[in-house]
Amino acid sequence: MFVWMQKKIIYVLVLMSCCVLGITGLQLYWNYKNYKTTTSNFARDSNNALNTAVDQEIKVRKGKIISKVKNWLADTTVFRIECNIDNRDSVTVFTIQDVHPRFLEDSTRKTSFNMGINKFKEKLKKITPEAKKIFINHFTSRTLKSNIDNGDVFYYTQGLGDSIDKAFESLKFNPDNFIKIYKSELAKRLIDVPFQLIKKPNNVSSTLVLKANTSFRRPFEREPIFVSLVSANTYYWKEMKGLIFTSLLLIGITIFCFYYTIKTLLNQHKLVAIKNQFISNMTHEIHTPLSSIQLTTEALKKFNPDPETTENYLDIILYQTHKLNELTKEILANAKLETLTFELNEDVDLNQLIWAVIKELREEDAVKVKYLKTLERAIIKGNRKHLSRSIANILENAIKYNSTSAPVIEISLVRTHQTINLTIQDNGPGIADEFKQKIFEQFYRIPSGNIHDTKGFGLGLSYVKKVIEQHRGIISVLDNYPKGSVFSINLPG
Ligand code: ADP
């Protein structure tokens, strides 16, 4: 049943590990994918926004050229616009004629230009204000616009060509206007980062530099502009830090829960093993005195022995009953250990207490104990009963586990700053480092050869620790040299 349970637990653990690994892996993968998409979208969108913004800025400049030309054509001191129907089909033909003397200086140049308008069906021999308006509109918004869109400057007349050329020259890229448009184009793409127009591309890795051409005249002279934005990585971090943090937090919580569950499971497992060991120990400990009492009582009843033997038998029964009684007390005391609380309202003289504990030991044990360093005044506030039980526990252990031919247990009491330090050292088997903490756990017994032969439930030191902690003290175990252990207790005093 136990083995089957163990197998089941292992399966569950493997499944849980797979799940946690899977969840963590998926989260990391998702974060990575998100990083890739966000950074590439950022680079693409900010570049698209730049091209759109440059196009719009150019469009504004083109519009300005067209409206300038419109004004010049309407100005009769610069151009004269006429019309006639002196042709084969008798359709109205419009003529633009340079008027300004500046344009007429060079006689080799063309100074007039004829043009018909398909949709204009009226037959006019003389220009009218309406017809002039229609012509200017048609010429600028179609013919001229299409030329400008292609980046061409046509010299329909010397004057028209010169004027358009100048207009192209005077209308340079407008950074302020561009910045406004670019900002709004970025906002449309939900990008809210600062940017800068720079003269030359820089090599700063923490920025993203984009390039666009702002010239619209053929042959398109390159008039590049460079825009510097935060790098895609910085942008990702700025936009996603909340998400990344939440995702990492979730991963952390999942791993912590997993760790906690495994720890609880293993603890449960350990507890079951400890409980089993305790039951087997206790059965043995109770069984021996009980059998002895049973046998002795049966002998008394059956053989009706002489008074001296009866006395001996009764001593045995008394001794074993006393042992059983002590055992029950120990178990009961430990059952209450979790809730063990007491007042620290007695003035306890540690010197007296230690002497009293030594006196309580069996004579053959007491000779092994040497109380070396004493303090003249070692009075602390505490609980006499629990303190003496604790010191007795440590001393009994030091004797119990010591199988050397000449056991020596030394006690000393030293004052350090605000504390009194009590040490009990023995020349027994010593305690390996890996068990130094564990021996203070309830039911814990060091699992090794000889020590197994020594009776006990693994309850003594957990009780001692609890009592010392209630006294706001600290207990620890160190190695004794060349052999054995040192139990060191620091008590406020
Ligand atoms: P118990 O003695 O009933 O087993 P304790 O809680 O008193 O329980 O001790 C826990 C374990 O610590 C013991 O099982 C023993 O292995 C070890 N131990 C305690 N004191 C000593 C000592 N002085 N020398 C060596 N081992 C010790």
Side-chain angles (χ1 to χ4, degrees):
M1 175 80 174
F2 192 63
V3 178
W4 180 76
M5 277 287 285
Q6 251 182 337
K7 262 194 174 168
K8 245 179 130 178
I9 288 176
I10 289 172
Y11 287 146
V12 171
L13 281 183
V14 170
L15 260 175
M16 272 172 76
S17 311
C18 290
C19 284
V20 169
L21 275 177
I23 291 170
T24 314
L26 273 176
Q27 282 268 354
L28 291 176
Y29 175 70
W30 178 83
N31 272 340
Y32 177 71
K33 275 245 34 134
N34 188 28
Y35 163 75
K36 282 276 169 205
T37 333
T38 311
T39 47
S40 74
N41 281 358
F42 171 67
R44 190 198 59 207
D45 289 350
S46 44
N47 198 39
N48 285 348
L50 175 68
N51 289 330
T52 316
V54 166
D55 283 350
Q56 283 192 30
E57 195 278 334
I58 288 176
K59 204 172 154 193
V60 172
R61 280 191 280 160
K62 284 176 180 171
K64 279 186 183 164
I65 293 178
I66 289 172
S67 68
K68 272 185 183 208
V69 174
K70 249 184 199 177
N71 287 339
W72 288 328
L73 288 176
D75 187 346
T76 49
T77 61
V78 188
F79 297 106
R80 192 166 62 237
I81 296 174
E82 289 170 344
C83 62
N84 63 72
I85 45 170
D86 307 337
N87 51 62
R88 210 164 9 120
D89 304 322
S90 297
V91 292
T92 308
V93 171
F94 293 88
T95 308
I96 301 175
Q97 172 78 53
D98 290 341
V99 172
H100 202 283
R102 180 159 53 94
F103 305 135
L104 302 169
E105 277 161 12
D106 187 351
S107 57
T108 62
R109 298 285 178 188
K110 192 177 166 209
T111 55
S112 72
F113 157 69
N114 294 332
M115 188 181 144
I117 302 174
N118 271 349
K119 278 183 190 159
F120 194 86
K121 300 291 181 206
E122 249 181 285
K123 295 183 189 303
L124 285 182
K125 286 184 181 166
K126 210 167 177 286
I127 195 84
T128 63
E130 289 75 34
K132 188 173 177 180
K133 222 180 205 171
I134 292 171
F135 170 73
I136 291 175
N137 264 342
H138 180 88
F139 176 73
T140 52
S141 60
R142 292 191 174 234
T143 316
L144 187 64
K145 185 173 180 300
S146 133
N147 297 156
I148 291 176
D149 281 345
N150 286 331
D152 296 324
V153 176
F154 281 120
Y155 276 68
Y156 293 101
T157 73
Q158 181 67 37
L160 209 51
D162 274 3
S163 308
I164 297 170
D165 205 30
K166 271 212 187 98
F168 259 108
E169 282 302 309
S170 66
L171 284 165
K172 288 279 172 216
F173 173 72
N174 180 340
D176 294 340
N177 195 21
F178 163 78
I179 286 172
K180 245 185 262 159
I181 305 171
Y182 190 38
K183 215 177 226 169
S184 94
E185 284 303 317
L186 284 177
K188 275 187 208 160
R189 290 159 179 83
L190 306 175
I191 297 173
D192 175 24
V193 290
F195 63 87
Q196 253 182 319
L197 257 176
I198 52 171
K199 291 217 166 69
K200 269 186 190 170
N202 55 21
N203 284 329
V204 184
S205 61
S206 61
T207 59
L208 171 72
V209 176
L210 302 171
K211 181 182 169 187
N213 176 39
T214 61
S215 135
F216 59 99
R217 167 132 193 218
R218 214 180 270 264
F220 296 114
E221 299 158 30
R222 305 302 287 177
E223 280 175 26
I225 54 157
F226 298 94
V227 176
S228 152
L229 299 111
V230 290
S231 74
N233 285 348
T234 317
Y235 173 76
Y236 174 72
W237 176 244
K238 182 179 163 268
E239 290 294 298
M240 298 291 163
K241 56 175 178 257
L243 249 155
I244 298 171
F245 181 72
T246 319
S247 155
L248 289 181
L249 190 76
L250 285 178
I251 292 179
I253 293 175
T254 317
I255 291 175
F256 172 76
C257 290
F258 176 63
Y259 160 80
Y260 192 77
T261 316
I262 288 190
K263 208 178 143 198
T264 315
L265 264 172
L266 292 179
N267 272 349
Q268 293 282 349
H269 205 243
K270 206 169 93 187
L271 227 71
V272 171
I274 285 173
K275 195 188 84 189
N276 287 346
Q277 199 200 351
F278 172 70
I279 290 172
S280 113
N281 269 347
M282 194 175 69
T283 320
H284 186 251
E285 290 274 306
I286 293 176
H287 190 251
T288 319
L290 269 182
S291 306
S292 165
I293 292 169
Q294 190 186 3
L295 280 176
T296 327
T297 322
E298 276 170 10
L300 271 176
K301 213 173 164 193
K302 254 190 209 161
F303 306 119
N304 200 10
D306 57 67
E308 197 184 329
T309 320
T310 308
E311 186 72 16
N312 280 344
Y313 280 4
L314 285 176
D315 277 349
I316 293 173
I317 294 172
L318 210 65
Y319 172 71
Q320 297 294 10
T321 322
H322 175 74
K323 242 177 104 176
L324 276 177
N325 209 7
E326 287 296 305
L327 211 67
T328 327
K329 264 198 214 158
E330 192 181 338
I331 293 167
L332 280 179
N334 277 285
K336 286 189 216 149
L337 197 61
E338 294 302 319
T339 53
L340 179 73
T341 46
F342 44 78
E343 295 287 313
L344 303 177
N345 52 7
E346 294 168 349
D347 283 329
V348 184
D349 183 338
L350 289 175
N351 269 329
Q352 266 179 17
L353 193 93
I354 294 166
W355 284 123
V357 173
I358 298 171
K359 231 169 125 191
E360 284 286 305
L361 294 173
R362 286 187 306 176
E363 221 178 284
E364 75 244 48
D365 289 338
V367 291
K368 298 171 189 165
V369 180
K370 300 198 168 21
Y371 186 14
L372 298 173
K373 266 188 229 161
T374 60
L375 278 179
E376 258 184 34
R377 207 185 127 74
I379 296 172
I380 62 158
K381 279 275 178 217
N383 184 293
R384 195 170 293 121
K385 189 181 92 186
H386 287 296
L387 272 178
S388 73
R389 191 66 244 136
S390 299
I391 296 171
N393 269 356
I394 299 175
L395 281 181
E396 280 161 14
N397 276 350
I399 296 161
K400 188 162 76 165
Y401 293 105
N402 200 327
S403 51
T404 48
S405 52
V408 181
I409 291 110
E410 289 176 2
I411 306 177
S412 72
L413 211 54
V414 179
R415 185 180 289 282
T416 52
H417 299 297
Q418 305 282 318
T419 60
I420 292 179
N421 179 241
L422 164 66
T423 53
I424 298 170
Q425 57 187 73
D426 61 60
N427 59 347
I431 296 166
D433 284 347
E434 56 187 298
F435 303 123
K436 282 196 173 96
Q437 293 287 329
K438 288 189 172 160
I439 53 170
F440 295 105
E441 288 172 14
Q442 231 174 345
F443 301 118
Y444 190 82
R445 306 200 74 216
I446 296 176
S448 77
N450 289 340
I451 293 169
H452 256 309
D453 300 340
T454 319
K455 306 279 174 292
F457 298 111
L459 293 171
L461 287 180
S462 59
Y463 164 79
V464 174
K465 187 169 186 212
K466 187 89 186 179
V467 170
I468 300 302
E469 278 173 356
Q470 287 275 315
H471 280 82
R472 289 188 282 279
I474 296 168
I475 181 164
S476 57
V477 64
L478 310 159
D479 291 328
N480 192 14
Y481 291 98
K483 196 168 165 288
S485 329
V486 182
F487 282 83
S488 162
I489 296 173
N490 274 305
L491 290 164

